[in-house]
Every structure is written in structure tokens, then in C-alpha cells.
Amino acid sequence: MDGPDAWTGLFISFEGGDGAGKTTQIKRLADILRAEGREVVLTREPGGSDGAEAIRKLILEGDADRWSPLAEALLMYAAREDHLERTILPALHRGAVVISDRFADSTMAYQGLAGSLGEETVAALYKLVVGDRGPDITIILDIPVEEGLKRAGGRADKEQRFESKGAAYQEAVRQAFLEIARREPERCLVVDASGGEDAVAARLREAVEARLPGLFSV
Ligand code: TYD
């Protein structure tokens, strides 16, 4: 048996559209928890283990239509299986806090609900690979698409396959995350990610504290 009952750590995932500021907010949360003496493992998807990082390159580089929707989702889930087995679960069993920059909700949002694959297929992959080994809590950073794209616009790297898919798709992704949060309110926490970094960090801390009393001792 695995799953939240079997581990002593805490599994937190962060989700949100491009430019929501996940990376910055994750670092800030990790710093706070480390300052309190917790072991924090920061990781990301697609990626987070050697095998999954190799798959990440296949997924994120190249033309927008490089993969069929199903092939793309299978690659995401192949990477996720490796990530869970090699990085996430060992850390949770040690008692660490694992913070993952994206996890399975991204596949449901990008490929399932906003993409053409459909939610049943993605749900079947989730059941096969993740099952009861999913996050204890998921923080969805929510930001209007235009504001997010402006923030993400400054980035010039090779990993542009998803950013190149356009504003209508990004809007569908935003709505998909909000829908996931409505369906699973016990796990998901939606945090308004617009405005300055400090304001978002304060909102986030308040929301997490309300959900997980005792996580922050100071
Ligand atoms: P990344 O460069 O990590 O962007 P971000 O900072 O926005 O997280 O790229 C990840 C991209 O891959 C992002 O556009 C979302 C997409 N993605 C999916 O489409 N499905 C998935 O299951 C995952 C994990 C990511």
C-alpha cells in the first residue's frame, strides 16, 4: 500500500497557467519551510528525475503538433511514473515536504479538458499511474490569461511548444484548473496570483495556513 496514509511527508503540487508565477512562489514557500527545519524537496513536471527530465525534452521542444494528443499524454504519464517512483515517493517516505511545480492536474487541464484528448482518457491514465499516490494539497495560482502571457513573454528558451498554442487555449486551461478545483475542493486551493509578488505570497501563506493549521510554526 502506498498513498497519503502510508507516508509521513507532505505532498504539495502547484498548478496554474503560463506566467502565473509558480516558480517564484514555490521558492518562497520552500524557504519558509526550510527555515523551520523541514526537509523540502523541490521538483517539477514534466521532469523531476533523470528519466523524466530526458522525456521532458521530447515533450517541450519542437513544433506544436510534434505529438498526437494521446502520445503526448502518454509521455507525460511515463515521465510522471518515473518521477513518482524515483523522487517523490522516496522523499515522502523519509518525511520530507515535496513541492512539485505541476503534477497530474496539468495533464487533465492541458491535454484532457482544454486539449482534444478528453477527460476520460486522462482519468484512466491517472488511475493507472497515480491512483492514491496523488498530492495531499494542490495550490492553483490563478491569473487572467493576458497578465500571465505578459509575464511569460519575457522568456526566450527552446521550451515553447505550449506557450505557442495561443490565448484561447490558455483561457481554456485557466477554466479547466478552476473546474478541477470546484470538483475537488478538499484538495485544491485557488489563490489569486495577480499583482505583486509579495501580495501573492501573503495571500498564499494565509490560504495554506487556513487549510493546514500547524504547517507554519511561526
Ligand atoms: P514549463 O517550462 O515547466 O512551464 P511552466 O513554467 O508554465 O510550468 O513547461 C511546462 C509546460 O508543459 C506548460 O506549458 C504546461 C505543459 N504541461 C502539459 O501540457 N501537461 C502536463 O501534464 C504537464 C506536467 C505540463
Side-chain angles (χ1 to χ4, degrees):
M1 262 310 278
D2 229 315
D5 293 341
W7 61 61
T8 52
L10 180 69
F11 185 7
I12 304 175
S13 63
F14 270 72
E15 302 281 3
D18 296 313
K22 284 185 284 89
T23 315
T24 311
Q25 296 300 332
I26 286 171
K27 280 203 193 104
R28 290 179 69 138
L29 179 62
D31 286 347
I32 294 172
L33 294 172
R34 282 184 182 135
E36 297 192 355
R38 289 178 184 263
E39 183 197 354
V40 180
V41 173
L42 283 190
T43 187
R44 68 166 180 184
E45 289 209 343
S49 61
D50 289 349
E53 288 291 331
I55 296 172
R56 176 185 174 93
K57 277 195 189 309
L58 296 175
I59 297 174
L60 294 185
E61 296 180 10
D63 295 337
D65 62 355
R66 179 177 185 184
W67 301 106
S68 76
L70 180 58
E72 185 169 276
L74 289 168
L75 286 168
M76 294 289 183
Y77 265 97
R80 185 159 299 132
E81 161 65 13
D82 197 68
H83 186 207
L84 268 170
E85 287 292 331
R86 309 284 171 111
T87 304
I88 296 175
L89 293 172
L92 291 172
H93 286 297
R94 285 201 303 275
V97 179
V98 173
I99 307 181
S100 187
D101 186 340
R102 300 193 180 282
F103 191 68
D105 296 316
S106 279
T107 318
M108 182 53 91
Y110 283 83
Q111 282 71 45
L113 293 166
S116 58
L117 196 56
E119 56 182 301
E120 286 79 16
T121 305
V122 178
L125 293 174
Y126 182 93
K127 199 172 166 210
L128 178 71
V129 174
V130 179
D132 63 356
R133 310 186 298 177
D136 298 297
I137 180 169
T138 296
I139 294 159
I140 295 170
L141 290 183
D142 181 54
I143 190 165
V145 169
E146 264 190 30
E147 207 177 322
L149 289 180
K150 245 186 250 157
R151 275 193 202 163
R155 294 197 334 191
D157 53 32
K158 287 189 289 179
E159 297 182 341
Q160 294 290 339
R161 275 191 67 234
F162 288 85
E163 280 88 343
S164 68
K165 287 191 178 185
Y169 179 65
Q170 298 293 342
E171 181 58 36
V173 167
R174 181 187 186 198
Q175 295 308 325
F177 281 126
L178 295 174
E179 174 61 24
I180 290 167
R182 274 192 292 273
R183 291 180 188 175
E184 290 183 73
E186 310 78 27
R187 174 174 65 87
C188 298
L189 213 51
V190 178
V191 174
D192 176 5
S194 54
E197 193 186 309
D198 289 346
V200 178
R203 258 178 242 139
L204 188 117
R205 181 176 174 139
E206 199 179 318
V208 172
E209 222 156 20
R211 184 65 58 93
L212 296 173
L215 179 64
F216 308 104
S217 51
V218 286

